[in-house]
Amino acid sequence: ASAANRRQQSIVTSGSGGLMPSITSVGSKGPVRLSHTADEMGLSFSDVVIVFASNEYFAPYMAVALESVVEAASPERHYDIVILTRDITQQTMETLVTHVGSSNVSIGFLDAESALQGTKLPHHGHFRPETFFRLLAPWMLPHCDKAIYLDSDLVVLDDPARLFDIGVDGYLLAATRDADTIGQLEGYDHTVGPYLADDLGLSDPYQYFQAGVLLLNLKAFRHIFTIEDMLRLSTVRVWRWLDQDILNILADGKYVRLDMRWNTLMDWKALRRDHIIAQAPQDIRSQYDAARDDPAIVHFAGPDDRPWDYPDCDMGDYFWRFAQRSAFLDVLEQRLDSSQHSARGRLNRVKVDVIFKGIMPAFDRICPPGSKRRTRVIQGYVAIGGDIT
């Protein structure tokens, strides 16, 4: 109720009954703008620091994550939210600040373009270049010792201050082990193990972590690496899981293990839990099941089956619970309607159904997990340019 009251106080109601965003931020100094340095944002950085990365198109989905942060935030703490971007418009920034800002939640926007130094970030599949921006955070926030990083395709159910307060001294970061990837290397996709061991050079591939939720030791990153190191690793090749692979290379299993409830992966396409994670060791399966029973963060990771297009997807009700109170509900509803009823949307749904309800089950029957035949087929698919992320 207190979060709702704070938002109501920060919104100006227009004469037509609609919501009119103000042009000044709540909890930060001066008008909303895309800042070029951390100092320009006017944030205090006195307590909990949270970092997102987004582009203009993804902003309505990120707005749902922001809404969930505000509702989970403790009134006893202060939260500075930094959004790394290069193309979020003035109008979108103003709407987000007006809707999200409150007496103890401030928001600022930081331009990642200058930090990139003209670097072109390679990406593929459903990934976007903005995923690399988290690698820039230590140098874009030079006065901060640590920060939470959150992907924009998630919702927060527990106070993020509890995550921020976890100690990371002596480590680069804290993260959850990646149940999905570990399940793949255990048999669902035998090409994953050699990739993690040989291409990434990991000492123990079973310690690979999921980078959608991180507690970053920004000070340690700055002490050990330079921003040039991050840019070089980002462009030296096209990594299978992009900057997540890079972070795993840098940590090589030496990180603080978070309880999996802080990054609870949705059961993507009803494949992740019973087909992929089912291949993982018992401790991973148990941790995943326990996290689902009491999630602190629900992460809608995957190339499709996202709740904004498929409201009945696994754990999708969490997304729409916060979407109903988010800054861009009208946009979300319009996009959902288009995905369900436009010719392009219907065609995409047919394609997805063919792949995941037809081809994938047949593939699992013909080439069962752990079989040599399965590995050869996947290797051949990748060799001709197929994307398996």
Side-chain angles (χ1 to χ4, degrees):
S2 61
N5 291 337
R6 290 197 299 269
R7 287 194 304 281
Q8 289 169 1
Q9 292 169 5
S10 67
I11 293 175
V12 179
T13 305
S14 70
S16 61
L19 297 180
M20 182 74 68
S22 71
I23 60 171
T24 57
S25 62
V26 180
S28 60
K29 303 174 183 177
V32 181
R33 62 180 178 178
L34 183 59
S35 300
H36 298 289
T37 68
D39 290 337
E40 287 180 9
M41 289 187 291
L43 303 180
S44 67
F45 297 120
S46 60
D47 195 0
V48 181
V49 179
I50 303 174
V51 177
F52 286 89
S54 180
N55 57 26
E56 172 67 15
Y57 181 81
F58 216 81
Y61 310 128
M62 179 183 63
V64 178
L66 292 172
E67 175 68 22
S68 71
V69 168
V70 172
E71 294 191 26
S74 166
E76 307 302 321
R77 304 291 293 270
H78 185 83
Y79 304 77
D80 285 316
I81 300 175
V82 178
I83 298 173
L84 305 180
T85 187
R86 54 183 174 181
D87 71 346
I88 292 182
T89 65
Q90 183 73 22
Q91 181 178 358
T92 296
M93 288 190 290
E94 291 171 358
T95 301
L96 288 171
V97 166
T98 301
H99 197 88
V100 172
S102 68
S103 60
N104 71 324
V105 179
S106 303
I107 184 170
F109 301 84
L110 195 50
D111 186 5
E113 195 65 53
S114 58
L116 289 174
Q117 304 172 20
T119 302
K120 302 299 181 183
L121 299 168
H123 58 282
H124 60 91
H126 67 286
F127 299 114
R128 304 266 51 90
E130 284 75 15
T131 186
F132 287 96
F133 290 0
R134 77 192 93 183
L135 298 181
L136 309 176
W139 298 273
M140 298 191 74
L141 300 173
H143 307 308
C144 298
D145 287 345
K146 67 177 180 177
I148 296 170
Y149 170 82
L150 299 176
D151 273 353
S152 297
D153 57 346
L154 52 73
V155 293
V156 178
L157 307 177
D158 200 348
D159 182 5
R162 297 182 61 194
L163 173 58
F164 185 81
D165 289 341
I166 293 173
V168 287
D169 288 347
Y171 298 90
L172 288 174
L173 53 87
T176 64
R177 292 173 70 191
D178 191 346
D180 187 279
T181 300
I182 294 171
Q184 291 186 57
L185 69 87
E186 269 288 288
Y188 192 80
D189 180 355
H190 268 160
T191 69
V192 171
Y195 172 75
L196 299 181
D198 301 334
D199 291 56
L200 271 57
L202 300 186
S203 302
D204 181 1
Y206 286 87
Q207 302 309 317
Y208 188 90
F209 59 80
Q210 218 284 342
V213 177
L214 300 168
L215 180 58
L216 295 169
N217 186 338
L218 304 179
K219 185 176 181 180
F221 268 93
R222 289 191 295 267
H223 180 72
I224 301 172
F225 308 107
T226 66
I227 194 169
E228 287 75 22
D229 292 329
M230 300 300 109
L231 296 176
R232 179 181 57 80
L233 283 169
S234 299
T235 56
V236 69
R237 59 166 288 175
V238 180
W239 302 101
R240 184 165 177 174
W241 290 293
L242 303 188
D243 59 308
Q244 179 171 274
D245 287 347
I246 293 172
L247 289 166
N248 271 277
I249 291 171
L250 298 179
D252 192 19
K254 300 177 180 65
Y255 62 94
V256 177
R257 271 70 174 168
L258 295 177
D259 189 303
M260 211 170 284
R261 66 187 297 267
W262 286 109
N263 189 0
T264 305
L265 302 178
M266 67 177 291
D267 184 13
W268 179 76
K269 286 294 181 187
L271 289 173
R272 179 169 279 145
R273 188 178 191 183
D274 293 335
H275 296 269
I276 301 175
I277 296 176
Q279 309 297 322
Q282 179 60 49
D283 66 319
I284 293 293
R285 300 199 305 271
S286 297
Q287 289 174 42
Y288 179 71
D289 288 339
R292 288 179 60 88
D293 290 338
D294 181 31
I297 293 177
V298 176
H299 188 182
F300 303 103
D304 206 305
D305 202 31
R306 307 292 191 99
W308 46 84
D309 287 329
Y310 299 88
D312 59 349
C313 72
D314 180 55
M315 306 182 93
D317 56 321
Y318 286 109
F319 177 86
W320 284 101
R321 177 193 306 174
F322 295 105
Q324 296 299 320
R325 298 184 293 277
S326 68
F328 291 96
L329 176 60
D330 57 339
V331 176
L332 296 173
E333 292 178 334
Q334 290 167 9
R335 290 183 183 180
L336 175 59
D337 182 72
S338 177
S339 75
Q340 291 177 325
H341 301 113
S342 70
R344 181 177 180 180
R346 289 197 299 266
L347 179 61
N348 182 67
R349 285 171 181 268
V350 170
K351 180 184 71 174
V352 169
D353 282 347
V354 168
I355 293 173
F356 293 105
K357 294 182 180 179
I359 295 176
M360 286 300 295
F363 176 63
D364 285 344
R365 289 194 300 271
I366 298 170
C367 305
S371 66
K372 292 182 179 179
R373 178 186 300 172
R374 185 184 188 91
T375 301
R376 288 195 297 268
V377 171
I378 293 174
Q379 289 172 334
Y381 177 69
V382 172
I384 62 174
D387 190 344
I388 54 176
T389 57

